[in-house]
Amino acid sequence: MDYLRIAVTDRCNLRCFYCMPAEGIQYLPKKELMSYEEILRVTQNLAELGVKKIRITGGEPFLRKDLMQLLRKITEIDGITSLNLTTNGVLTYPHLKELKEIGIDHINLSLDSLDKQNFFAITRRDEYNKVMQTLDGLLDHGIKTKINMVVMNGRNEHEIQAMAKLTKNKNISVRFIEEMPFNGSDDQNAKIFSAQDILDELKHHYPALQKIAQEPNSPSTAYQIPDYAGSLGIIAAYTRSFCGTCNRIRLTATGSIKNCLYDEGVLDVKGILRTGISDEALKETFIQTVQRKEVNGFVAEINRQKNTQITESMSTIGG
């Protein structure tokens, strides 16, 4: 495992269908969250074990106060070669200049609709203009940009072509993600617009669509429309066809290590940190934890013990 994804907040200022239930989520007291000092200690120890890439997540990470201080300190850790950020873009724009200065590798922007009305219907927030301002700012600052669109059957699959068109003149990657059951819903049997459905839709509009080389260990299968500046990707997050190459572990906002998005947390790292564990013992615990990684997300889901139905919020688990 060489890729750590860290959720820094349990809050998300967009209440998305795929992210949390309609009534929202109960925000936790600050003491229930990982402190920056604890996050840095975990990152330092994992870097010494071979982790090289860090992604900060949490819906909108900039809801967390003084986030830039954490990001700067992560860049100073020996062994960390890549620092990335996933954001819904609502509070990110004012920080783009500083993010560029600290050498952010790339930013993933969560954007599920290019239509202002549909954006509001999906997110239940009138934040479309801020998100688009962030997108324009990312391009203006020359920050490598990926757009993540969760394709939700009956809600936005009709916008796949419009999203793909963004890559015509912009050197960005648009990635279409299967909807996962992390939406706070009781309906676990809803029809998923699958990776194959997404590919079929793209090929319908772009028959010359070409499969291209992708980054090692990437969960995305990469494509390009001939003569377009950017690229496309399809992430089979629900059908889970990429599990065999997964090199990621996750640290949730509340301090749980997850070997897989579909497990329920395999180590309460916050709890053991607060017992005064030594760094040597901490590293040994991490090694033992990663060695228990399930073969794929289906096995991880089956082996859930406490919460057999998956309804966690994506904003809290470092998706």
Side-chain angles (χ1 to χ4, degrees), residues 255-258 265-270 272 282 285-286 289 292:
S256 178
I257 291 287
K258 293 173 70 74
V266 292
L267 176 67
D268 176 15
V269 68
K270 181 188 69 181
I272 64 173
L282 182 62
T285 301
F286 285 148
T289 299
R292 298 198 302 270

Side-chain angles (χ1 to χ4, degrees), residues 130-144:
K130 289 183 180 179
V131 177
M132 298 309 293
Q133 181 187 40
T134 295
L135 175 57
D136 291 340
L138 287 167
L139 299 176
D140 290 343
H141 283 81
I143 297 174
K144 185 177 179 181

Side-chain angles (χ1 to χ4, degrees), residues 4 6-7 28 32 44 59 64 87 90 95 110 112 115 124 155 160 212 266-267 282 285 287 312:
L4 172 65
I6 303 171
L28 296 172
E32 297 297 325
Q44 175 72 54
R64 186 84 180 251
T87 172
V90 176
H95 305 280
S110 301
D112 297 327
D115 177 87
R124 307 177 186 133
R155 295 189 178 118
I160 288 175
I212 60 175
V266 292
L267 176 67
L282 182 62
T285 301
I287 291 170
E312 299 98 328

